[in-house]
């Protein structure tokens, strides 16, 4: 076996993680999860310090309680 050394281009990786394409992929995943959960759930995409992020949340008190009791959002990620 030969030894292979891989060195990442850190500024390039950082630019990739902050790119609009990655943000769009995160948004698509979040929307799919929200669709599985129902109409009470919303998505949000934002630019973090090191990468694009997406979140799924709800403002409905009944759904918030359901999520706290049953981990509904976490289970919908599978």
């Amino acid at each position: 076996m030969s030894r292979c050394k891989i060195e990442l281009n850190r500024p390039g990786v950082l630019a990739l993680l902050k790119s609009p394409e990655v943000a769009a992929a995160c948004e698509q995943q979040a929307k799919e999860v929200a669709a599985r959960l129902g109409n009470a759930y919303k998505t949000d995409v934002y630019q973090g310090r090191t990468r694009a992020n997406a979140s799924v949340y709800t403002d409905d008190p009944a759904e918030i309680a359901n999520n706290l009791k049953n981990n509904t959002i976490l289970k919908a990620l599978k």
Side-chain angles (χ1 to χ4, degrees):
M1 287 194 177
S2 65
R3 292 187 178 202
C4 181
K5 182 178 179 182
I6 298 174
E7 187 173 323
L8 292 176
N9 177 350
R10 291 186 183 269
V13 171
L14 186 61
L16 177 66
L17 290 173
K18 288 184 170 185
S19 71
E21 292 85 5
V22 171
C26 289
E27 181 177 22
Q28 179 185 2
Q29 287 289 110
K31 285 186 177 183
E32 288 175 7
V33 170
R36 276 181 270 188
L37 291 168
N39 293 333
Y41 290 86
K42 303 172 187 170
T43 62
D44 184 28
V45 179
Y46 56 95
Q47 192 72 28
R49 188 171 57 93
T50 60
R51 67 189 69 174
N53 298 284
S55 61
V56 178
Y57 66 96
T58 184
D59 293 331
D60 183 13
E63 290 299 325
I64 291 172
N66 182 28
N67 185 51
L68 287 172
K69 183 177 179 183
N70 301 314
N71 288 325
T72 310
I73 295 174
L74 183 62
K75 289 177 182 176
L77 291 174
K78 295 182 182 180

